[in-house]
Amino acid sequence: MALIEIKNFKKSFQGHDVHKDINLSIFSGECLGIIGGSGVGKSVLLKSLIGLIKPDDGQVLFKNQDITKLNEDELVEVRKKIAYVFQNGALFDSLSVYENLAYPLKEHTMMTEQDIYQKIYKTLDEFGVLNAINKYPAELSGGMQKRVGLARSIIMDPEVILYDEPTAGLDPYNTKIIQETIIKLKNKNVTSIFVTHDMPSAFAVCDRIAFLNQGVVAAVSDVKEITNNNDNEISAFAKGLRP
Amino acid sequence: MNYFTMTYPFLIFLGGSTKLLYLSIKEFFKGKVEKDLVIEQVYQVGIKSLPVVLVTTGFIGMVMALQFGIGLAKFGGKLYIPKIISLSIVRELGPVFASIMISARVGSGMTSEIGSMRVTEQIDAIRALGASPIAKIVLPRVLGCFIALPVLTAFANTIGILGGLLVGSNDLGLDPNYYFQKVLSTINVADYMSGFMKCFFFSFLVSVPACYFGLNVKGGTKGVGIATTKTVVTSCIAILIGDYFLTKLFWVIEKWL
């Protein structure tokens, strides 16, 4: 049974239909890649999975609960289980790296300051950014900001992680670190949804890939099969070629 | 352009900011007040704005003394200067100018800060982490203004009257003791409170539009600039319009009492 189900999802902005009818199932423990051209609404779809954007119509079921019907207070419980990794980290620039990571822990747990420190220390160490613990986001490189953003997202041990282009604009070294982290989390049975344009990363971490085009899911297939799709546009996109 | 297209954005703003105020009050009564964030805002609004407010109201008192001194001297009315200055400042100019200066200095800063957070997805990040942007962003700023603005106004009133004293004694030849005696015998509690109470209302007219426009920034950094301008213009107009109705209200209450 699917962990997350998107049914008849529709969303438009100022008369422009971004999503006409999206239907998609995400299963527990898998990593689903969502690909498609710029402006097809990949990030909109991802934000809808955590209730940051409400659809015009349709359902987003998480463990059979329709999150589109929940208000902000009710969504808190969902957001403890589903983490979101923002494209540019979205770190709070008035807080240090330590304070950024402590933020969800202080908000949702009764952990002592000592326990919070130990957890943050361990997490930052895993991501190789321990030296940034007392720095502010503005003092970090783009790659470090993304890694700290990812560390903040997983610190609550979520069941699902939504990645919004986590490798965009990164050097090969940082890209590799992010890929390894996603694979490590997948091995711990964390479900991942991975929005990307970076096809090598998608091939490295995803089990299945969904291709969005013209407001619908044009194809969903095993990661190895997407390049052999009958639709020339889909296979060319996956191969990084012009259709 | 018809009346609908002219009034529609205003109605959207009115509805949106009323909802924001309602949600802030709701969070307040849920006990979601973060003391550290409120103290930070009181510092930003109160302590950091003090020099600006004092310079503004001090010079207003000085200019008023000079203008009335020149004008009233023709009719032998210089002795009324302490009365006129103290009443004008305490009832009107102190609270209004302190609020306008806070809107210009703090309101614009609030909008640009919140707007930048919006553009860089930090507001979405707060929500994604299961926290409330109202409790984390809006409520501390609303409370910060609510606490700091009346205190700033008290300082503004004092400095405004002292500004009048400075010019009155140096340029117009008024005796400082006479000036003080007249000020104290003129202003009563009702005068002071009618001005002072306005600050609590004005604090909402500064903080709520600032947060509303910041949270609704669209179009990247250009949008932040537009929102900041909207905040200052809207707050200043709202303070002046609100001042008229509050003055009328307090006038009715004073008559009734």
Side-chain angles (χ1 to χ4, degrees):
Chain A
M1 202 178 82
L3 181 68
I4 298 173
E5 261 189 285
I6 303 163
K7 289 181 176 176
N8 308 115
F9 185 96
K10 294 177 182 68
K11 183 72 188 171
S12 63
F13 291 100
Q14 293 164 341
H16 170 61
D17 291 332
V18 178
H19 295 305
K20 291 173 187 161
D21 188 17
I22 300 279
N23 292 284
L24 200 57
S25 299
I26 298 109
F27 300 96
S28 182
E30 78 164 337
C31 179
L32 175 78
I34 297 178
I35 61 170
S38 297
V40 296
K42 301 183 293 295
S43 297
V44 170
L45 185 63
L46 206 62
K47 283 184 177 174
S48 303
L49 301 185
I50 197 174
L52 293 177
I53 291 177
K54 296 269 183 199
D56 298 334
D57 197 12
Q59 292 180 309
V60 176
L61 302 172
F62 173 63
K63 293 183 175 176
N64 288 326
Q65 183 184 30
D66 187 0
I67 67 163
T68 63
K69 301 281 189 289
L70 303 180
N71 63 31
E72 283 289 310
D73 288 338
E74 292 163 336
L75 278 167
V76 170
E77 286 309 311
V78 174
R79 288 169 182 165
K80 282 186 205 171
K81 293 170 191 148
I82 306 179
Y84 194 104
V85 181
F86 287 86
Q87 193 170 350
N88 294 310
L91 297 172
F92 305 128
D93 46 22
S94 59
L95 304 180
S96 69
V97 166
Y98 175 82
E99 290 165 331
N100 263 282
L101 268 74
Y103 194 95
L105 297 174
K106 287 182 178 171
E107 189 70 25
H108 300 300
T109 69
M110 302 295 282
M111 288 168 73
T112 63
E113 196 66 43
Q114 179 72 17
D115 291 341
I116 288 174
Y117 182 82
Q118 279 173 359
K119 182 149 191 172
I120 291 171
Y121 189 95
K122 193 174 155 236
T123 310
L124 288 176
D125 197 24
E126 274 177 31
F127 281 85
V129 282
L130 188 56
N131 58 342
I133 190 164
N134 292 317
K135 289 185 177 171
Y136 282 83
E139 300 172 272
L140 307 179
S141 66
M144 284 175 94
Q145 284 189 23
K146 286 205 177 190
R147 278 192 271 162
V148 173
L150 182 50
R152 184 182 65 182
S153 301
I154 64 141
I155 203 149
M156 288 287 291
D157 301 320
E159 294 174 35
V160 181
I161 304 181
L162 313 175
Y163 300 92
D164 189 1
E165 301 200 36
T167 57
L170 291 184
D171 59 77
Y173 171 70
N174 275 306
T175 302
K176 192 75 187 159
I177 290 174
I178 299 279
Q179 286 175 10
E180 284 169 2
T181 307
I182 296 170
I183 292 167
K184 206 188 291 177
L185 290 165
K186 203 174 78 171
N187 293 338
K188 288 182 187 170
N189 207 35
V190 175
T191 308
S192 306
I193 302 173
F194 185 72
V195 162
T196 190
H197 284 133
D198 174 13
M199 292 314 297
S201 291
F203 289 129
V205 302
C206 296
D207 301 309
R208 291 191 304 146
I209 288 186
F211 182 81
L212 297 193
N213 196 20
Q214 296 180 347
V216 296
V217 179
V220 192
S221 72
D222 189 275
V223 70
K224 288 166 193 159
E225 291 164 14
I226 194 88
T227 48
N228 300 322
N229 195 287
N230 293 333
D231 187 326
N232 183 37
E233 194 176 355
I234 298 170
S235 59
F237 190 95
K239 288 174 188 164
L241 302 170
R242 289 178 70 173
Chain B
M1 189 180 274
N2 58 31
Y3 286 116
F4 179 74
T5 49
M6 281 165 67
T7 54
Y8 184 69
F10 173 71
L11 292 174
I12 293 282
F13 159 73
L14 206 60
S17 50
T18 306
K19 188 180 172 189
L20 199 59
L21 182 61
Y22 164 73
L23 291 173
S24 303
I25 293 168
K26 208 171 131 186
E27 293 287 306
F28 177 79
F29 284 108
K30 274 187 199 169
K32 289 190 175 175
V33 181
E34 303 223 6
K35 282 181 201 154
D36 292 348
L37 296 177
V38 175
I39 291 167
E40 163 71 17
Q41 288 305 316
V42 170
Y43 174 73
Q44 289 292 338
V45 179
I47 310 285
K48 283 197 149 183
S49 305
L50 195 59
V52 177
V53 170
L54 294 188
V55 168
T56 310
T57 48
F59 275 91
I60 285 168
M62 289 163 73
V63 168
M64 279 184 71
L66 212 52
Q67 289 283 13
F68 280 112
I70 295 162
L72 292 175
K74 294 172 192 168
F75 312 102
K78 265 193 337 189
L79 297 176
Y80 290 103
I81 288 171
K83 270 187 169 215
I84 293 168
I85 288 179
S86 56
L87 274 177
S88 318
I89 285 184
V90 164
R91 291 188 74 106
E92 284 299 327
L93 298 176
V96 169
F97 273 91
S99 304
I100 286 176
M101 290 315 292
I102 291 298
S103 170
R105 205 198 85 84
V106 179
S108 58
M110 282 180 185
T111 303
S112 58
E113 187 186 0
I114 299 171
S116 302
M117 289 180 77
R118 173 91 189 159
V119 169
T120 54
E121 295 186 306
Q122 290 177 55
I123 302 289
D124 278 345
I126 294 176
R127 293 173 66 207
L129 292 169
S132 159
I134 305 292
K136 299 282 178 188
I137 304 285
V138 181
L139 186 57
R141 282 162 177 79
V142 171
L143 285 177
C145 280
F146 190 79
I147 294 165
L149 193 51
V151 179
L152 280 173
T153 300
F155 279 103
N157 288 342
T158 310
I159 295 296
I161 291 169
L162 289 177
L165 168 68
L166 192 71
V167 171
S169 60
N170 284 339
D171 298 337
L172 306 173
L174 289 175
D175 177 35
N177 285 330
Y178 167 81
Y179 185 95
F180 267 123
Q181 269 181 1
K182 277 292 165 193
V183 168
L184 293 174
S185 63
T186 304
I187 304 168
N188 57 36
V189 175
D191 292 324
Y192 195 83
M193 291 312 285
S194 76
F196 193 70
M197 294 302 285
K198 287 176 186 172
C199 300
F200 294 104
F201 293 94
F202 291 163
S203 73
F204 295 121
L205 299 179
V206 171
S207 58
V208 176
C211 294
Y212 172 80
F213 286 118
L215 287 171
N216 288 286
V217 160
K218 287 187 182 89
T221 47
K222 190 183 175 191
V224 176
I226 293 169
T228 306
T229 309
K230 275 184 186 172
T231 293
V232 178
V233 172
T234 307
S235 280
C236 291
I237 291 174
I239 287 165
L240 294 172
I241 294 172
D243 184 42
Y244 169 77
F245 288 105
L246 287 170
T247 303
K248 209 164 180 181
L249 176 71
F250 289 130
W251 183 60
V252 172
I253 292 170
E254 275 177 52
K255 267 177 78 177
W256 182 64
L257 288 172

